Amino acid sequence: MKQGNHKVTQALDTLEEVIKRTYTTESIDTPRLQEWALGMAKHVAKLSKDPSTKVGAVIFDEKRRLVSAGYNGFARGVKDTQKRLNDRDTKLKLTLHAEKNAILFATAPLDGATIVVTHPCCSQCAAQVIQAGIKHVVWQKPSNDFILRWKDDLLLTYAQFAEAGVTVTEVAGE
């Protein structure tokens, strides 16, 4: 009987090794899937009431299951009046970014997950992505104007991701 149990254990160990060698941990790992997921994030972004910038984020686990979505907007129960939305300082102070909303509303653990965002993460969202255990980030390649406007923050974002071992994939824009 012990001999039989040993063979089962060996078989399970072997199977586990094969799975480790063949299973990718980057769940959204092909251009086709990245474009599809980015399209989903863009669709979610349409829910934002921000008159100037609509950002969406979707999170997938390692098996490509959607575990969350979020868009930039005010906290639940906070009135998003036109006065607040059109006053830039007030709007920026009240707005939760899409990444944070997606992390907060996740329905499953995020360790090893992939987040797909319509825009590059700011340095604060990058820190939250890292802290949540997300390992892969996909976003649309930003325009030159966006890069010039947010250069310093983008440098912090990339530095944090590099230090924490989070991969970043930029998808060609439309």
Side-chain angles (χ1 to χ4, degrees), residues 103-153:
I103 289 167
L104 288 170
F105 288 112
T107 59
L110 299 178
D111 291 325
T114 298
I115 188 167
V116 182
V117 193
T118 57
H119 295 69
C121 298
C122 72
S123 58
Q124 285 295 303
C125 285
Q128 292 168 13
V129 163
I130 292 164
Q131 201 68 1
I134 295 169
K135 286 298 181 188
H136 310 284
V137 180
V138 178
W139 60 55
Q140 183 170 312
K141 183 177 169 103
S143 67
N144 288 339
D145 289 341
F146 187 95
I147 292 169
L148 289 173
R149 183 175 184 186
W150 299 105
K151 177 183 160 202
D152 293 338
D153 203 57

Side-chain angles (χ1 to χ4, degrees), residues 42-55:
K42 288 178 180 179
H43 189 71
V44 169
K46 292 177 183 179
L47 295 170
S48 172
K49 293 182 181 176
D50 188 322
S52 62
T53 306
K54 297 186 183 306
V55 182

